[in-house]
Amino acid sequence: MIVFNPDYYFRPDEKRVFIINKGHSHQSTHGWSSIVHSLHAIVFSAFQNNEPWDTVVERLSGFLEKPKIDVETLLQPFVENEENVYVEQGGHQFKIPKKILIQSEQPITYERVFKTEDFLFKESDYETERYLHAPLNITFMPTNRCLTDCLYCYADKKHKMGTPIPFNRLLEIMDEAKDLGVLDFNVVGGETFCYPQWQPLLAEIKKRNFRMMRPSTKTPLTEEDMDYLTSIGIKEIQVSLDSLDALTEQHLVRVDENYVSRIMQTLRCLKGKGFDIQIATVLTRFNDSVENLEAMFRFFKEIQVDSWNLTPGFESLYKAAHSFMSSRVALNKVRDFVERIKGETRMRISFSDTFFDREYGKVEDGSRNFKGARCSGLYSHFFILPEGKVTVCEQLYWKPEFIIGDLNKQSIVEVWHSDKVNELLNLKPRDLKPSSPCSTCEIFDSCFSNLNRCWAEILKAYGDENWDYPDPRCAKAPKMKNNLQFV
């Protein structure tokens, strides 16, 4: 029978519907998210009932008031489609992902089976890119405590946390998020394993079937920790490690002389218990030598690490980077090294060079064309601080200008529609200082409405008081007070 691909799900969003990818078991497009016409959602959702093709076609024939042969012709481009399909409806063009309807020998169990009325709206909006009703992704920071004190850390470690959000309230937030169709509920630190209730926290996230990034840690884990993760269905983990040289690691993350050997033993034990291991390495001038990375590679290859991500350390709002940043020359050597070793192993190895090639001062046509990942703040994501307050971005932490709500007192939807959110979404040139080039820019509306200006980079480059300055990637941005470039 033909069914709706369970790798995708529908997300009604006040005036339209999103189709979103949440898995990759049936050759779907990883990371897919797009607005579709309500009619498409109604048609595709008709295939959630595990019924024979003829039964579904006959029902759609009645709903669409079209002969069955015409309905079958309408459906054919979406059955086991190997490529995305572009369709026009109501004067708008929509993009439908590949494999939207697939053949299945077995019935499919869906988390939610939608009905026609779920996609009937009083008015439509197919233009606004921002998620209208609620965020798609939520990240929770349970603590800013760590076992290490990393030289390159971008977190606000100096802030004295208030009373943590009650765990029962956190469970209510998860339930609301699930009802709203939130896709990701991620946990970051600080150090997740320093949170006293890390076990029930991860278990409750898994129980609700949220998609969740693999836990990330610098903590030497016990076998009991590993067995607990296994018991709740977590078999993927990220371990941060910057060097196998004990003195280098001591300098970088402020640990004792036995730390590296304990982390190496943790990695061996994790692999022995069948975990998919990802290593995260932050590159600084103290560990960016090919010799250091070669030693790490040999060990990772020996124990069969699954993936290794290398990222240059960068300027943060809380620590100056000039004392540890790698040079372009060194990073280019790292890039060459990575390309060379990729052919020697099945390990997935990535080197993120977007951090040192940001095209500062070069983009002339607005934030839509900035190089790098799209900013998700105010667009599809928000970040919950340990006390329950919500900020736009994890790098902004407790910056008061960007606190948009408090989940101790508000619901997710109320925060997403708060006065502070509306203020940031609807900034006008008159709201900015005259000294900001944005205040007189002729493409202000299109640039600001695209929500792709990086607030964190602006604050790093120009200071908190100049939050309304251009993103430093903009051609009209003034000279940075604090140079973010790799040299």
Side-chain angles (χ1 to χ4, degrees):
M1 61 187 160
I2 301 299
V3 298
F4 177 68
N5 189 335
D7 284 355
Y8 299 109
Y9 78 103
F10 299 106
R11 165 76 182 267
D13 190 45
E14 291 189 354
K15 301 177 182 180
R16 70 281 182 86
V17 185
F18 280 86
I19 286 182
I20 297 166
N21 171 259
K22 64 175 181 178
H24 199 53
S25 301
H26 299 85
Q27 299 181 315
S28 56
T29 303
H30 179 69
W32 184 276
S33 173
S34 68
I35 296 170
V36 296
H37 195 279
S38 296
L39 183 62
H40 302 140
I42 291 169
V43 169
F44 297 144
S45 67
F47 289 88
Q48 285 189 303
N49 296 304
N50 297 303
E51 297 173 323
W53 170 266
D54 289 344
T55 301
V56 180
V57 168
E58 185 167 353
R59 189 165 67 253
L60 287 174
S61 174
F63 174 76
L64 298 172
E65 298 181 347
K66 290 179 178 290
K68 287 193 288 185
I69 191 170
D70 290 350
V71 173
E72 290 185 323
T73 300
L74 174 73
L75 292 172
Q76 282 305 325
F78 307 107
V79 178
E80 295 284 0
N81 52 308
E82 296 293 340
E83 303 291 339
N84 302 333
V85 179
Y86 294 83
V87 292
E88 287 197 10
Q89 187 73 38
H92 299 273
Q93 188 176 70
F94 301 93
K95 189 162 61 171
I96 310 299
K98 72 175 185 179
K99 299 284 186 178
I100 191 70
L101 299 177
I102 59 171
Q103 179 76 38
S104 178
E105 299 300 323
Q106 301 296 326
I108 301 294
T109 300
Y110 298 92
E111 283 192 34
R112 179 179 174 185
V113 175
F114 286 84
K115 300 176 181 177
T116 297
E117 51 265 31
D118 294 319
F119 306 124
L120 298 178
F121 308 109
K122 292 180 180 179
E123 55 182 306
S124 60
D125 177 355
Y126 299 120
E127 301 297 332
T128 303
E129 295 182 19
R130 177 183 189 259
Y131 284 80
L132 297 176
H133 189 56
L136 177 66
N137 314 115
I138 291 175
T139 303
F140 174 50
M141 176 185 178
T143 180
N144 66 350
R145 287 183 55 220
C146 280
L147 295 179
T148 57
D149 181 18
C150 302
L151 188 70
Y152 50 75
C153 181
Y154 65 77
D156 184 353
K157 302 281 286 292
K158 295 180 181 179
H159 179 87
K160 292 184 179 180
M161 292 193 311
T163 303
I165 187 169
F167 195 76
N168 285 341
R169 175 60 187 140
L170 195 56
L171 297 181
E172 292 172 353
I173 292 166
M174 289 186 202
D175 288 338
E176 183 191 0
K178 191 64 184 176
D179 289 343
L180 290 169
V182 168
L183 175 63
D184 297 320
F185 201 104
N186 291 313
V187 177
V188 300
E191 171 62 65
T192 300
F193 295 97
C194 283
Y195 180 56
Q197 293 175 285
W198 72 263
Q199 291 187 345
L201 171 64
L202 297 183
E204 292 290 344
I205 293 172
K206 290 294 291 184
K207 186 169 76 174
R208 288 162 178 78
N209 202 29
F210 288 112
R211 197 172 68 177
M212 180 179 67
M213 291 189 304
R214 62 181 74 205
S216 181
T217 186
K218 281 186 166 74
T219 300
L221 300 176
T222 66
E223 288 199 46
E224 289 76 13
D225 294 334
M226 300 175 200
D227 291 342
Y228 181 78
L229 291 172
T230 298
S231 73
I232 61 172
I234 294 178
K235 294 295 290 185
E236 296 181 334
I237 194 164
Q238 175 173 283
V239 177
S240 296
L241 183 62
D242 304 317
S243 179
L244 296 184
D245 179 77
L247 290 177
T248 301
E249 195 74 351
Q250 279 182 268
H251 179 68
L252 284 172
V253 300
R254 306 293 194 270
V255 288
D256 63 41
E257 64 274 14
N258 297 317
Y259 175 80
V260 169
S261 62
R262 287 186 288 134
I263 284 290
M264 291 172 73
Q265 180 56 33
T266 292
L267 291 171
R268 288 190 179 99
C269 193
L270 283 166
K271 200 61 195 175
K273 289 179 178 291
F275 277 78
D276 183 295
I277 301 174
Q278 178 172 288
I279 301 292
T281 297
V282 177
L283 299 167
T284 71
R285 66 186 182 90
F286 302 105
N287 69 325
D288 60 10
S289 70
V290 170
E291 292 76 18
N292 177 66
L293 300 176
E294 185 75 58
M296 297 178 75
F297 173 61
R298 287 196 300 270
F299 174 65
F300 297 157
K301 188 177 178 182
E302 172 198 332
I303 66 170
Q304 298 183 333
V305 161
D306 298 277
S307 57
W308 185 19
N309 294 342
L310 299 98
T311 305
F314 55 88
E315 187 78 23
S316 86
L317 291 166
Y318 312 100
K319 285 189 178 181
H322 62 271
S323 64
F324 64 77
M325 281 175 70
S326 296
S327 67
R328 282 182 175 271
V329 171
L331 292 174
N332 282 327
K333 289 180 180 178
V334 172
R335 179 193 282 147
D336 294 341
F337 165 75
V338 168
E339 290 305 311
R340 173 170 63 81
I341 64 173
K342 279 182 177 179
E344 301 177 21
T345 177
R346 296 175 64 182
M347 187 191 321
R348 301 181 299 277
I349 306 175
S350 67
F351 170 56
S352 178
D353 59 2
T354 56
F355 287 99
F356 73 99
D357 189 18
R358 298 280 281 170
E359 296 188 347
Y360 290 123
K362 293 182 180 179
V363 180
E364 298 184 350
D365 44 3
S367 66
R368 182 176 293 276
N369 297 296
F370 287 156
K371 186 173 182 179
R374 193 200 197 290
C375 176
S376 61
L378 298 180
Y379 165 69
S380 62
H381 172 261
F382 68 40
F383 188 88
I384 307 172
L385 295 162
E387 305 94 332
K389 290 186 177 180
V390 181
T391 183
V392 170
C393 165
E394 69 170 284
Q395 291 191 55
L396 298 173
Y397 294 99
W398 288 271
K399 297 283 185 187
E401 301 89 346
F402 300 99
I403 297 294
I404 58 174
D406 186 344
L407 286 169
N408 289 293
K409 307 172 184 176
Q410 298 167 286
S411 67
I412 292 171
V413 171
E414 287 170 340
V415 171
W416 196 242
H417 293 268
S418 69
D419 291 344
K420 187 61 180 181
V421 166
N422 289 326
E423 175 189 325
L424 292 172
L425 286 177
N426 296 290
L427 287 170
K428 302 297 181 187
R430 64 176 178 271
D431 300 321
L432 313 186
K433 292 190 297 292
S435 60
S436 170
C438 297
S439 67
T440 55
C441 182
E442 63 276 8
I443 61 169
F444 177 95
D445 289 341
S446 62
C447 182
F448 272 59
S449 65
N450 193 54
L451 303 179
N452 198 30
R453 299 163 65 255
C454 180
W455 299 105
E457 294 251 297
I458 295 168
L459 269 59
K460 291 178 202 175
Y462 303 112
D464 290 9
E465 70 278 8
N466 293 316
W467 63 271
D468 55 355
Y469 269 41
D471 184 299
R473 290 169 289 183
C474 176
K476 295 181 180 180
K479 181 180 178 181
M480 291 183 272
K481 292 182 178 180
N482 182 32
N483 187 17
L484 307 183
Q485 302 261 26
F486 285 83
V487 294

